Amino acid sequence: GAVVSQHPSWVICKSGTSVKIECRSLDFQATTMFWYRQFPKQSLMLMATSNEGSKATYEQGVEKDKFLINHASLTLSTLTVTSAHPEDSSFYICSARGPSTEAFFGQGTRLTVV
Amino acid sequence: AQTVTQSQPEMSVQEAETVTLSCTYDTSESDYYLFWYKQPPSRQMILVIRQEAYKQQNATENRFSVNFQKAAKSFSLKISDSQLGDAAMYFCAYRSTGNTPLVFGKGTRLSVIA
């Protein structure tokens, strides 16, 4: 299957700082990438959808100025959590889709804001 | 909007036995895709099986099979000859046609008893 690499796997940052999470499709062109957030013992909640070269579409309730998504190439999308606060601590997962109907997931990033 | 319901928060099965995980969904669309994903403790999302709604034949992948009842909007997953490695969180997911994101159920935590 296709490989999606998400980096870093875990990160700890101080409150008020920004952190960037990268999502790369290693062996296919990801025309669309999805970013999810998962709280402990809960399901995946879609945050935003990004198409290469276009602005991301955010789900209702997700602050676009806080969660900056960039999808500048067919193999890379980034999620930047700006001015992070402890309540932003969560597990973030990216998913990339190319020509097939399957969505391939990254390994996820555990963000802890202290 | 489409919704996915998994009514079993937790299930357990004896090793080598068979277990069925339930999933129902709500949609007004006639063509769509259904998925079962496995999320082990590593939290990597792994595609278990996929079903296209226009196909009447139930999908199978080795020990995993589905019972797709389109009229009832039901999509259950059967795991045969359960193994210890099957222990994980299982998510049922729905996707419309086109470039749309996955909609997940709340998940079922499966324990396998040796």
Side-chain angles (χ1 to χ4, degrees):
Chain A
V3 178
V4 176
S5 177
Q6 187 172 340
H7 178 81
S9 299
W10 58 270
V11 59
I12 301 173
C13 70
K14 291 184 177 181
S15 186
T17 63
S18 296
V19 61
K20 180 183 287 187
I21 301 170
E22 292 187 348
C23 181
R24 294 181 184 273
S25 58
L26 299 186
D27 52 3
F28 69 100
Q29 293 185 330
T31 50
T32 304
M33 287 197 179
F34 305 95
W35 286 93
Y36 296 87
R37 183 173 181 175
Q38 186 179 30
F39 290 104
K41 299 185 178 182
Q42 294 190 23
S43 187
L44 283 73
M45 292 177 47
L46 180 68
M47 298 176 65
T49 300
S50 73
N51 293 300
E52 185 266 339
S54 303
K55 289 185 178 180
T57 301
Y58 291 82
E59 294 299 299
Q60 189 173 10
V62 178
E63 300 176 58
K64 62 180 180 180
D65 293 331
K66 180 167 192 60
F67 298 100
L68 300 179
I69 291 173
N70 182 279
H71 191 173
S73 77
L74 285 172
T75 59
L76 174 64
S77 177
T78 60
L79 167 66
T80 301
V81 183
T82 63
S83 186
H85 291 284
E87 56 266 31
D88 298 325
S89 299
S90 190
F91 192 70
Y92 294 88
I93 309 176
C94 71
S95 169
R97 180 177 302 142
S100 75
T101 58
E102 296 175 16
F104 298 100
F105 287 84
Q107 306 96 316
T109 297
R110 182 182 302 278
L111 170 64
T112 302
V113 184
V114 297
Chain B
Q2 295 82 18
T3 58
V4 177
T5 301
Q6 293 179 250
S7 59
Q8 307 154 316
E10 297 182 352
M11 290 283 284
S12 62
V13 62
Q14 292 279 349
E15 195 175 6
E17 296 296 310
T18 297
V19 65
T20 298
L21 307 184
S22 301
C23 173
T24 59
Y25 57 95
D26 188 25
T27 184
S28 59
E29 299 173 336
S30 60
D31 197 14
Y32 47 86
Y33 302 92
L34 295 165
F35 305 82
W36 278 97
Y37 280 90
K38 170 184 177 181
Q39 188 179 43
S42 68
R43 303 189 80 170
Q44 171 74 58
M45 295 290 285
I46 301 167
L47 177 63
V48 175
I49 201 165
R50 176 182 68 184
Q51 174 82 43
E52 291 92 339
Y54 66 86
K55 291 186 177 179
Q56 292 187 340
Q57 187 173 8
N58 289 324
T60 61
E61 286 289 340
N62 301 313
R63 298 184 294 108
F64 299 88
S65 62
V66 298
N67 184 1
F68 174 47
Q69 301 291 326
K70 191 172 184 179
K73 296 179 183 176
S74 172
F75 183 61
S76 61
L77 174 70
K78 186 172 80 171
I79 306 174
S80 304
D81 186 24
S82 297
Q83 301 175 359
L84 295 177
D86 295 333
M89 197 75 172
Y90 285 82
F91 291 100
C92 179
Y94 172 103
R95 187 172 80 79
S96 302
T97 57
N99 201 18
T100 54
L102 293 165
V103 176
F104 289 93
K106 291 188 175 182
T108 297
R109 182 171 301 281
L110 177 67
S111 301
V112 180
I113 304 167

